[in-house]
Amino acid sequence: VAVVADVVGEMLALLGRQEARITRTRRSIVEVVARFQAPFTVTELTDAVSREDPGIGRASIFRTLALLVQAGAVQRLHGGPGRERYTVCVTPSHHHHVTCTRCGRTAEFSPRGVEHLERAVERAVTALGFRVGTHILEVQGICQACHSAIVASPTGGERP
Ligand SMILES: [Zn+2]
Ligand SMILES: [Zn+2]
Ligand SMILES: [Zn+2]
């Protein structure tokens, strides 16, 4: 687990590279984001920021979150209907996420080994007359811990 202070520094550096102004409010929001050890919802973030500093408005939080996503410091995870989450990215370079559909835990994997897939997608999109920009590749599955819990549970891991 990365040290929170380092994560804050890296996220602020990424924001700076986007030429985003680092205001005191943005710094406070980044500090809260950096403390999440697992993917979080927008509501969890706004609640956590309000506990820290009730003076920070929702608009500032949304704007800062959007900037962090743009900068590649945070990624939006789809995770299925009603399970949209944000996660702090450990890898600053191009990478993808695999998300557990049971607990929401996420891990990052490098595009090494799937470049042929990305190139094939680019060709397909180019054939439709689009210029290729960025892409999001998210894999959903069951993490090791959840798999073990399901196997160990007599009910097959069904939650009440
Ligand atoms: Zn990521
Ligand atoms: Zn899991
Ligand atoms: Zn990729």
Side-chain angles (χ1 to χ4, degrees), residues 94-96 111 114 118 135 137:
H94 187 73
H95 66 274
H96 302 111
V114 295
E118 302 198 337
H135 64 261
L137 172 65

Side-chain angles (χ1 to χ4, degrees), residues 80-119:
R83 295 195 57 114
E84 191 176 273
R85 298 274 189 287
Y86 291 83
T87 187
V88 176
C89 288
V90 180
T91 315
S93 54
H94 187 73
H95 66 274
H96 302 111
H97 283 260
V98 56
T99 307
C100 178
T101 50
R102 191 170 177 274
C103 71
R105 199 177 80 85
T106 188
E108 296 177 0
F109 63 94
S110 103
R112 268 196 311 276
V114 295
E115 299 99 329
H116 62 290
L117 171 67
E118 302 198 337
R119 278 197 299 273

